[in-house]
């Protein structure tokens, strides 16, 4: 065993000229030997020489590390934030930091918390910081709504995803944020309504969110969520009588389309044919190659490999559980109908190809394809409107009315049949299909169109016609429907609706308090009507009703946003306005959350716990964008929280080393630096002799702290490293 300081300054015992610890190793590995050497004049001279040598490598490394510590750790935290935001595996952290050092950020070598425990703590702290910012805003809101959905992840665990919708006084807008994710079967044998109820209430309490402020719930309409007797909504209403439960309008639209398919067998058969066609080509590389070559031959162009992918199309799978898949499948076959028919004709020896050719190569199928090409985009547009992030119920009626008017227009005009007949003429887009047209076939196509669209409109009305009384009463906040103050109906306008709203949202109060609040609500609305009448002429152009398309923001939403900020004038009405704005009507956000969960928790990361999933989901969904001041403030706050969470042990020497031959002015080497441990803070040199059993008793006898204290080295380097395999003393014989 050598003494690094004594060897560095080449000091020796002045009395006996002994060179032990300098040129000759000490073989007496005992605590007394440490004490004797530490108290010797030889070692004191080495310490004094080290103090006098201000250009010491130890001192320079320590001072440099202290000077750039905050910057280095901020860069490390920001790098971890980028990894989580882009859903990259946690274990890539050290590799990314090495890359940053290789690309020129040489100071990153002073980041010395490389253990898996430390990296995990950084990820958790970042996620908790993002979550705390969200929870603070929700806690300040007077009302919020929750969005729930269940999903099975890659590890076959049933997870409950929860989002929260609230009105932010700071931004003046309705916001939807990820709230929590929880394994439902961790403490229960069945994911029934009681389990979900216990999970939701316990998590809300854990996140310090008052159940009394939870005024609305939206789900996919499953019986476990909306059952009339034992559903989750019923159990939550027992806790908060003011809550309103919604069935997701996206799922309602999907159910309306599914009901229509059940009524018309041929439309359902067309969907089956589309799915069979997709499977026929998708399961065979040979068939797919023939299909793609048929498309290129039809275009009669010479293409490169790069442009080939742009010129050829693939069929898409039609699935009833995917909202827009039927539309995508119809569009793909509409564009590639001739190549599909030609490919099937060449492969008639295959029974499936012969059967599919007989199904799709006829006027009835082609006319239905053209009709669906006209109808399904209207339904897809309506579904996309419903999937908007902060949609409220005021968008439902105008969007549905617009879609229905367009569907009825298709039924009246039947313009798609005229376009089909033009395409079937020689020289037309489908001229080579050789499909004959007869009056009887045209009559059948027209009849099918009328039946399909009529059934579709009927099912949409059936799904969206029923509305809760409280939701219907919200229309009194729409300035478009408000009578003029000069009209006789103005005085009594809204009294009935205000009574319904008061009964709904003040139901949990005692009778006397409820009556008082309702009277105050009526009085405030009597005054607010005059403000609403003055706002009527100030409605922005983007909120005005438009026959061509529904507005991006309705006049009602615009007026509610203004009202929600006027709590000092209208205490009760502003509370109702926040309830309306925070009421979610679509479950699209939990669906997006399920997709994010499956991207994060992959086969290689299947053991992620709930706490890590909580943090990663908050970062990937609720995170501020990189490069913004908000993201910088969030990362700085996370660093401060992580640093103050407990006493951190730092190390002055570099951890991520560059090769010895490189300097700050030299270009980077061709190979990335290895992740080697530096000995800048080591005060004894080691000659490794393998895994000798002689080192085991010493490691137990002399601890790291005792050795530093004995050698009086704390005044030179008072830092340590938390990396498990990084010791300030290694020993060999």
């Amino acid at each position: 065993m050598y003494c690094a300081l004594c060897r560095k300054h080449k000091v020796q015992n002045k009395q006996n000229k002994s060179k032990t610890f300098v040129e000759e190793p000490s073989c007496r590995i005992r605590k007394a030997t440490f004490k004797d050497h530490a108290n010797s004049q030889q070692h004191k001279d080495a310490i004094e020489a080290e103090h006098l040598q201000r250009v010491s490598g130890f001192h320079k490394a320590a001072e440099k590390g202290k000077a750039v510590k905050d910057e280095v750790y901020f860069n490390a935290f920001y790098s971890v934030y980028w990894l989580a935001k882009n859903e990259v595996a946690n274990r890539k952290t050290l590799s990314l930091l090495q890359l940053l050092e290789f690309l020129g950020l040489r100071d990153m070598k002073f980041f010395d918390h490389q253990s898996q425990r430390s990296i995990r703590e950084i990820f958790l702290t970042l996620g908790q910081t993002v979550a705390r910012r969200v929870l603070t805003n929700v806690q300040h809101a007077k009302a919020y709504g929750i969005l729930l959905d269940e999903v099975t992840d890659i590890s076959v665990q049933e997870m409950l995803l929860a989002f929260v919708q609230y009105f932010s006084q700071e931004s003046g807008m309705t916001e939807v944020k990820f709230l929590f994710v929880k394994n439902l079967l961790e403490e229960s044998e069945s994911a029934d309504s009681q389990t979900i109820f216990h999970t939701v209430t316990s998590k809300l309490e854990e996140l310090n969110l008052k159940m009394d402020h939870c005024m609305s719930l939206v789900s996919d309409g499953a019986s476990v969520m909306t059952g009339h007797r034992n559903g989750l909504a019923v159990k939550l209403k027992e806790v908060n009588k003011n809550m309103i439960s919604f069935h997701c309008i996206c799922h309602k639209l999907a159910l309306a389309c599914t009901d229509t398919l059940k009524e018309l067998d041929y439309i359902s058969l067309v969907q089956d044919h589309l799915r069979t066609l997709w499977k026929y080509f998708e399961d065979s590389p040979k068939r797919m190659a023939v299909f793609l070559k048929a498309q290129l031959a039809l275009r009669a162009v010479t293409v490169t490999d790069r442009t080939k992918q742009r010129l050829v199309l693939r069929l898409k799978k039609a699935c009833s559980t995917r909202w827009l898949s039927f539309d995508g499948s119809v569009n793909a076959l509409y564009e590639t109908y001739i190549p599909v028919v030609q490919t099937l004709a060449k492969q008639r020896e295959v029974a499936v190809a012969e059967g599919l050719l007989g199904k799709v190569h006829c006027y009835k199928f082609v006319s239905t394809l053209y009709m669906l090409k006209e109808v399904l985009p209207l339904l897809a547009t309506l579904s996309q409107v419903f999937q908007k992030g902060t949609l409220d119920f005021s968008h439902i009626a105008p969007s549905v009315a617009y879609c229905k008017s367009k569907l009825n227009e298709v039924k009246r005009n039947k313009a798609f049949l005229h376009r089909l007949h033009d395409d079937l003429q020689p020289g037309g887009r489908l001229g080579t299909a050789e499909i004959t047209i007869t009056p009887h076939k045209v009559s059948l196509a027209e009849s099918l169109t009328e039946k399909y669209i009529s059934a579709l409109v009927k099912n949409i009305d059936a799904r969206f016609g029923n509305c809760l009384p409280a939701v219907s009463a919200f229309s009194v906040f729409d300035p478009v429907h408000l009578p003029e103050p000069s009209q006789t109906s103005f005085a009594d306008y809204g009294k009935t609706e205000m009574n319904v709203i008061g009964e709904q949202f003040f139901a949990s109060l005692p009778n006397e308090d409820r009556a008082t609040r309702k009277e105050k609500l009526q009085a405030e609305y009597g005054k607010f009507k005059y403000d609403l009448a003055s706002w009527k002429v100030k409605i922005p152009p983007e909120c005005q009703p438009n026959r061509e398309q529904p507005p991006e923001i309705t006049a009602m939403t615009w007026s509610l946003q203004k009202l929600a900020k006027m709590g000092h004038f209208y205490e009760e009405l502003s509370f109702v306005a926040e309830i309306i704005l925070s009421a979610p009507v679509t479950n699209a956000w939990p669906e997006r959350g399920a997709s994010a969960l499956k991207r994060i928790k992959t086969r290689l990361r299947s053991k992620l716990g709930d706490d890590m999933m909580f943090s990663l989901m908050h970062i990937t969904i609720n995170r501020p964008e990189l490069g913004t001041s908000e993201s910088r403030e969030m990362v700085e706050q996370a660093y401060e929280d992580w640093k103050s969470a407990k006493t951190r042990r730092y190390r002055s020497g570099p951890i991520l080393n560059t090769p010895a031959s490189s300097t700050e002015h030299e270009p980077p080497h061709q190979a990335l630096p290895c992740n080697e441990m530096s000995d800048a803070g080591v005060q004894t040199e080691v000659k490794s002799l393998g895994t000798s059993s002689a080192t085991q008793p010493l490691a137990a006898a002399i601890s790291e702290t005792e050795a530093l204290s004995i050698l009086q080295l704390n005044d030179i380097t008072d830092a340590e490293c938390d990396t498990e395999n990084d010791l300030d003393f290694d020993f060999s014989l």
Side-chain angles (χ1 to χ4, degrees):
M1 178 179 62
Y2 295 96
C3 177
L5 283 179
C6 294
R7 288 196 73 182
K8 176 182 178 182
H9 299 285
K10 298 180 179 179
V11 295
Q12 58 184 356
N13 193 313
K14 295 181 179 180
Q15 295 179 353
N16 56 13
K17 307 299 181 181
S18 172
K19 297 182 180 181
T20 307
F21 289 100
V22 181
E23 295 181 0
E24 300 176 359
S26 173
C27 298
R28 298 183 59 194
I29 306 177
R30 296 289 185 274
K31 185 181 294 187
T33 305
F34 275 94
K35 292 182 179 180
D36 293 342
H37 179 71
N39 295 326
S40 66
Q41 187 62 38
Q42 175 186 353
H43 188 71
K44 292 179 180 179
D45 292 341
I47 294 177
E48 183 179 359
E50 182 66 24
H51 285 169
L52 294 175
Q53 187 179 358
R54 302 304 296 173
V55 294
S56 166
F58 300 111
H59 178 76
K60 290 175 64 178
E63 293 300 318
K64 179 68 172 178
K66 293 178 181 178
V68 300
K69 172 184 171 183
D70 289 339
E71 180 183 357
V72 167
Y73 276 75
F74 173 81
N75 292 337
F77 269 69
Y78 216 92
S79 301
V80 171
Y81 178 67
W82 179 88
L83 287 174
K85 177 180 178 296
N86 290 276
E87 301 164 358
V88 182
N90 306 7
R91 290 186 177 272
K92 301 296 182 181
T93 302
L94 298 182
S95 177
L96 177 60
L97 297 180
Q98 289 178 358
L99 176 63
L100 294 178
E101 183 186 358
F102 175 73
L103 294 177
L105 296 180
R106 301 296 185 186
D107 292 339
M108 293 306 298
K109 62 187 177 183
F110 293 105
F111 178 73
D112 50 10
H113 287 275
Q114 295 188 83
S115 66
Q116 290 300 319
R117 181 189 63 187
S118 297
I119 298 299
R120 172 182 170 81
E121 289 178 354
I122 293 175
F123 274 96
L124 293 177
T125 304
L126 284 168
Q128 292 165 2
T129 303
V130 177
R132 186 165 57 251
R133 295 165 69 93
V134 173
L135 293 174
T136 301
N137 294 332
V138 179
Q139 290 164 1
H140 290 165
K142 298 178 182 178
Y144 65 88
I146 54 176
L147 306 84
L148 299 176
D149 197 10
E150 299 175 66
V151 61
T152 303
D153 60 19
I154 191 65
S155 59
V156 201
Q157 293 181 347
E158 190 160 3
M159 313 295 290
L160 179 68
L161 288 171
F163 282 70
V164 61
Q165 181 169 319
Y166 62 96
F167 179 77
S168 173
Q169 292 286 349
E170 182 179 354
S171 63
M173 301 293 293
T174 303
E175 298 184 1
V176 182
K177 299 294 184 180
F178 170 75
L179 190 58
F180 67 83
V181 59
K182 178 66 176 179
N183 181 9
L184 288 175
L185 301 181
E186 183 177 8
E187 300 176 355
S188 177
E189 297 180 356
S190 175
D192 53 13
S193 60
Q194 182 61 36
T195 301
I196 300 176
F197 170 77
H198 174 71
T199 301
V200 171
T201 53
S202 60
K203 289 298 294 184
L204 291 179
E205 182 179 359
E206 177 184 336
L207 299 175
N208 198 21
L209 296 179
K210 296 181 180 179
M211 191 63 198
D212 294 341
H213 291 180
C214 182
M215 306 300 292
S216 53
L217 164 72
V218 68
S219 63
D220 57 4
S223 59
V224 71
M225 294 288 186
T226 59
H228 294 293
R229 295 184 179 179
N230 295 317
L232 173 66
V234 174
K235 295 182 180 297
L236 290 176
K237 287 179 182 179
E238 293 176 356
V239 180
N240 184 0
K241 297 180 180 180
N242 304 330
M243 179 179 290
I244 302 177
S245 176
F246 293 96
H247 184 182
C248 172
I249 56 177
C250 293
H251 288 84
K252 279 187 176 183
L253 180 61
L255 290 173
C257 298
T258 303
D259 295 341
T260 306
L261 292 179
K262 293 179 180 178
E263 294 181 16
L264 297 173
D265 294 338
Y266 188 72
I267 302 296
S268 181
L269 284 176
V270 169
Q271 187 178 29
D272 293 339
H273 296 336
L274 292 173
R275 190 181 303 110
T276 306
L277 274 173
W278 168 82
K279 187 174 181 62
Y280 177 79
F281 290 107
E282 195 72 17
D283 290 350
S284 174
K286 180 179 179 181
R287 298 168 189 165
M288 180 64 74
V290 175
F291 172 53
L292 299 180
K293 290 178 181 178
Q295 294 186 55
L296 294 175
L298 182 64
R299 297 177 183 271
V301 293
T302 303
V303 296
T304 62
D305 292 338
R306 183 176 181 180
T307 58
K308 180 179 179 180
Q309 296 180 354
R310 301 180 182 179
L311 294 177
V312 297
L313 299 175
R314 294 172 180 263
L315 298 182
K316 296 183 179 180
K317 182 180 180 180
C319 181
S320 58
T321 58
R322 295 287 182 179
W323 296 334
L324 305 177
S325 63
F326 197 13
D327 178 47
S329 180
V330 168
N331 286 332
L333 183 58
Y334 176 85
E335 296 293 339
T336 61
Y337 180 77
I338 293 298
V340 167
V341 172
Q342 291 177 350
T343 304
L344 294 176
K346 292 179 180 179
Q347 301 176 356
R348 285 192 170 184
E349 65 277 3
V350 181
V352 178
E354 178 67 21
L356 285 173
L357 183 61
K359 299 294 185 181
V360 303
H361 191 223
C362 62
Y363 180 84
K364 185 176 182 180
F365 180 86
V366 176
S367 62
T368 305
L369 184 68
Y370 269 65
M371 184 263 292
L372 293 175
K373 178 66 169 62
E374 197 81 9
V375 171
L376 293 181
L378 300 176
L379 300 175
T381 301
L382 181 61
S383 179
Q384 290 170 353
V385 170
F386 288 165
Q387 294 178 45
K388 289 184 178 179
T390 56
L391 183 78
D392 62 64
F393 72 96
S394 65
H395 290 78
I396 300 176
S399 299
V400 171
Y402 171 75
C403 180
K404 287 166 55 179
S405 66
K406 289 295 184 180
L407 290 173
N408 290 325
E409 184 179 344
V410 173
K411 184 174 66 173
R412 289 193 307 269
N413 298 337
K414 300 182 180 63
F416 67 92
L417 289 177
H418 300 290
R419 188 169 63 254
L420 171 61
H421 295 165
D422 292 339
D423 290 345
L424 289 176
Q425 297 299 322
R429 197 177 70 90
L430 304 182
T432 58
E434 298 181 353
I435 296 177
T436 59
I437 305 174
T438 63
H440 178 66
K441 293 179 179 179
V442 174
S443 176
L444 291 177
E446 293 177 349
S447 176
L448 180 62
T449 301
E450 293 180 358
K451 290 180 180 179
Y452 177 64
I453 296 180
S454 298
L456 193 58
V457 172
K458 180 192 69 174
N459 289 320
I460 290 177
D461 288 336
R463 291 289 178 178
F464 292 93
N466 297 330
C467 189
L468 295 173
V471 175
S472 301
F474 294 163
S475 60
V476 295
F477 294 100
D478 192 345
V480 177
H481 299 154
L482 182 70
E484 295 297 331
S486 58
Q487 297 178 0
T488 57
S489 59
F490 182 82
D492 295 331
Y493 181 79
K495 288 185 178 180
T496 303
E497 288 79 1
M498 284 296 110
N499 185 62
V500 173
I501 291 175
E503 287 290 343
Q504 174 64 42
F505 298 125
F506 302 146
S508 60
L509 299 176
N511 293 335
E512 295 181 359
D513 294 341
R514 181 165 66 251
T516 302
R517 297 283 293 274
K518 288 172 63 177
E519 290 178 2
K520 187 177 180 180
L521 185 66
Q522 290 282 7
E524 288 184 359
Y525 186 75
K527 169 63 174 64
F528 174 70
K529 284 191 293 187
Y530 290 92
D531 291 337
L532 195 62
S534 64
W535 295 352
K536 193 172 182 179
V537 296
K538 301 177 182 179
I539 299 176
E542 60 269 17
C543 300
Q544 298 288 349
N546 190 347
R547 293 183 178 180
E548 296 298 327
Q549 59 182 5
E552 291 292 330
I553 178 174
T554 62
M556 179 177 169
T557 302
W558 174 76
S559 64
L560 286 172
Q561 290 176 353
K562 292 173 65 67
L563 176 59
K565 299 179 182 179
M566 302 174 66
H568 52 293
F569 288 123
Y570 304 109
E571 181 180 358
E572 301 296 343
L573 283 179
S574 64
F575 171 62
V576 173
E578 284 204 31
I579 294 176
I580 299 173
L581 292 172
S582 65
V585 294
T586 173
N587 216 34
W589 273 103
E591 299 286 350
R592 298 186 183 103
S595 299
L597 184 144
K598 292 182 178 180
R599 293 194 305 268
I600 294 173
K601 196 170 185 179
T602 61
R603 181 180 59 85
L604 299 178
R605 306 173 72 187
S606 60
K607 294 185 179 181
L608 288 175
D610 285 353
D611 55 347
M612 183 60 73
M613 280 301 306
F614 177 85
S615 295
L616 295 178
M617 291 283 285
H618 267 287
I619 295 175
T620 192
I621 297 176
N622 298 338
R623 81 288 184 210
E625 292 297 330
L626 288 170
T628 61
S629 59
E630 186 180 3
S631 66
R632 184 176 183 87
E633 292 174 2
M634 189 276 299
V635 173
E636 289 176 349
Q637 182 62 48
Y639 171 52
E640 294 297 329
D641 294 344
W642 175 84
K643 185 169 59 175
S644 61
K646 65 179 182 180
T647 303
R648 303 284 177 182
R649 296 186 300 166
Y650 295 93
R651 173 186 181 133
S652 59
I655 296 297
L656 299 172
N657 283 346
T658 53
S661 60
S662 64
T663 64
E664 296 184 358
H665 303 287
E666 292 179 350
H669 292 264
Q670 296 299 320
L672 287 175
C674 298
N675 183 20
E676 298 178 353
M677 311 311 295
S678 172
D679 62 347
V682 178
Q683 300 301 313
T684 55
E685 290 186 352
V686 178
K687 289 185 178 180
S688 177
L689 297 179
T691 57
S692 174
S693 60
T695 63
Q696 300 300 325
L698 180 64
I702 303 177
S703 67
E704 177 183 356
T705 305
E706 291 176 334
L708 285 174
S709 176
I710 292 172
L711 293 180
Q712 304 176 16
L713 296 179
N714 289 333
D715 56 343
I716 297 178
T717 171
D718 57 353
E720 301 170 328
C721 177
D722 71 342
T723 307
E724 296 174 356
N725 59 352
D726 223 17
L727 297 177
D728 279 351
F729 290 91
D730 290 333
F731 304 94
S732 61
L733 295 177

